[in-house]
Amino acid sequence: MKKIKNWLLIFAGCIAAQAVSAQSRPPLSVDINYSIAQPLGSLKDYSNKTSFHGWTAGLQYMLNDNLSVGLRSGYQDFYERVPRAVYPDKQGDVSAVQSRTLQVIPIQATIGYAFTKASSPVIPYANLGIGAASMNYEKYWGQFVEKNNSWQFMVSPEVGINVPFGAYSPVMFNANVRYNYAPYKYNEITSFNSIQGSIGLKFHLN
Amino acid sequence: MKRTLYLLGTVAALMAITFSSCRKDPLKDMTEEESRIYITNHDSQANFTSYNTFSIVDSVAVFAGGSDAAKKALTTYDKQLISAVTTQLQQRGYTLVSKSAKPDLAVNLTRIDNSYTNISWNPGWWGGAGYWDPGYWGFPGGGWGWYWPSYYTVYQVRDKQTAIDVFDLKNPKGDKFTAVWNALWRGSGVWDTGNVNSMVQASFDQSAYLTRNK
């Protein structure tokens, strides 16, 4: 009888402990971040300006303390105005001020891994996003626009930290760095590469 | 669950606001000068040092107001255009002669207001009724025509433009005279007299091959 009682106590303790760690925050969270992005590679040849016009937003579901899956989207606007220059093409020469823009809207599934317990004051994590991105290429020759819109495969590894506002707070500060790659080819862009830094908030929802 | 939906709604609304305000509009802070483009084409077969003389039209053909036929005009703008193009060609070593003196090159000037229609454009599409016909250049009989080589760029246009066409009168191909050089200006202010000199200058600057001096 005593033995059973002990077993029950141990059992109850385990369940309680698990409940505390797993339910320190509700498993579902939303996050919204402000982003800046630096173009790399051939994207730099097209538009060599850091983009300060961007955001990301996502939904995440914690499968346990460490592992999560999610869905996210975002927006980044690359823009550079190039002073008047003559662009030769095979048929003629065009003198123009070029305003080179690219708007990127990714939609990705994510899988994430947190390196510490949910109760730690800083939670570093790594994340991988895989999905597609809408590439909206608009190159203005003077006031005349040359447009191209297409969907591309996009993969985005990410590392970051979550800092809870208090031990079991459902609200966390988030900062992350992400690398974006898409095999996107159009005119001077031979592939899409950018490094993106974001800060924002993450809310665990009841 | 209600709270979740409420929060999601707020996030979606925030996203929509950010999304709409995030896009930098290239046209918003664009000056008239920045809005203009100057397109030049030339016949790759042409030997520009082989020409000595040129003559230029005495007015400008204007396509406007939805009419297919051009009317000749000689406004302040047109006078400025004639004089600026003449000066540039003289600087490139060509001698201005009257059209009766059998010039090697004929310079036709055209203004096009195509803002009323959406037409698929080929260089020289304006070479219709009212355009400078070869009869003006001393080739009467109606059999003569202009010819723009097929590799000239095709642009879709819906705006005001000005075109300069230089034709080879010396070497007709059959009954056609070949356009050896063409400049087309598009954008805001291309019909403003004050912009003529800089637009002519830019067009010649990007066409270094257009010269008799070697």
Side-chain angles (χ1 to χ4, degrees), chain B residues 24 54-55 65 68 74 79-80 95 98 108 110 121 132 140 146-147 157 169 173-174 181 184:
Chain B
K24 194 165 157 63
F54 75 99
S55 189
D68 284 340
L74 191 60
K79 286 177 190 160
Q80 184 66 37
T95 309
S98 76
N108 292 346
T110 314
W121 183 78
W132 305 103
W146 305 116
Y147 165 69
V157 293
L169 296 183
K173 288 193 176 107
W181 188 73
L184 183 73

Side-chain angles (χ1 to χ4, degrees), chain A residues 28 30-32 52-57 59 73-75 77 79 81 84 86 89-97 99 101 103 105 136 138 140-144 170 203-206, chain B residues 1 3-4 7-8 11 14-16 18-19 21-27 29-31 33-42 151-155 159 186-188 202 206-207 209:
Chain A
L28 185 68
V30 294
D31 54 80
I32 184 151
F52 292 96
H53 297 109
W55 55 263
T56 68
L59 275 175
S73 185
Y75 177 80
D77 181 33
Y79 179 97
R81 177 162 292 170
R84 185 173 289 280
V86 178
D89 66 27
K90 38 185 190 299
Q91 292 139 335
D93 301 300
V94 182
S95 160
V97 174
S99 308
T101 77
Q103 290 88 44
I105 302 173
N136 187 41
E138 291 187 7
Y140 285 78
W141 298 74
Q143 69 187 38
F144 306 98
F203 307 90
H204 281 265
L205 308 173
N206 274 315
Chain B
M1 199 61 203
R3 212 176 124 210
T4 309
L7 256 164
L8 281 176
V11 169
L14 266 171
M15 276 163 64
T18 328
F19 184 86
S21 63
C22 245
R23 174 77 204 272
K24 194 165 157 63
D25 182 0
L27 296 177
D29 61 342
M30 191 176 279
T31 64
E33 196 281 326
E34 289 171 332
S35 82
R36 291 196 288 273
I37 63 172
Y38 314 128
I39 307 155
T40 50
N41 277 299
H42 71 286
Y151 51 78
Y152 272 42
T153 314
V154 176
Y155 278 86
D159 53 1
R186 303 177 55 193
S188 303
Q206 72 191 56
S207 311
Y209 50 81

Side-chain angles (χ1 to χ4, degrees), chain B residues 149-200:
Chain B
S150 62
Y151 51 78
Y152 272 42
T153 314
V154 176
Y155 278 86
Q156 186 90 7
V157 293
R158 200 193 170 101
D159 53 1
K160 282 184 178 167
Q161 305 145 52
T162 295
I164 307 167
D165 296 301
V166 176
F167 289 94
D168 179 347
L169 296 183
K170 215 166 110 176
N171 312 295
K173 288 193 176 107
D175 58 358
K176 299 265 194 259
F177 299 107
T178 305
V180 289
W181 188 73
N182 162 270
L184 183 73
W185 304 335
R186 303 177 55 193
S188 303
V190 294
W191 281 20
D192 292 353
T193 309
N195 298 328
V196 168
N197 284 349
S198 65
M199 295 188 295
V200 169

Side-chain angles (χ1 to χ4, degrees), chain A residues 6 9 11 16 40 50 57 82 89 104 115 124 130 156 159 182 194 196 200:
Chain A
N6 279 345
L9 271 172
F11 229 92
L40 301 171
T50 307
V82 182
D89 66 27
V104 184
F115 294 109
I130 296 174
S156 312
V159 288
S194 73
Q196 179 179 358

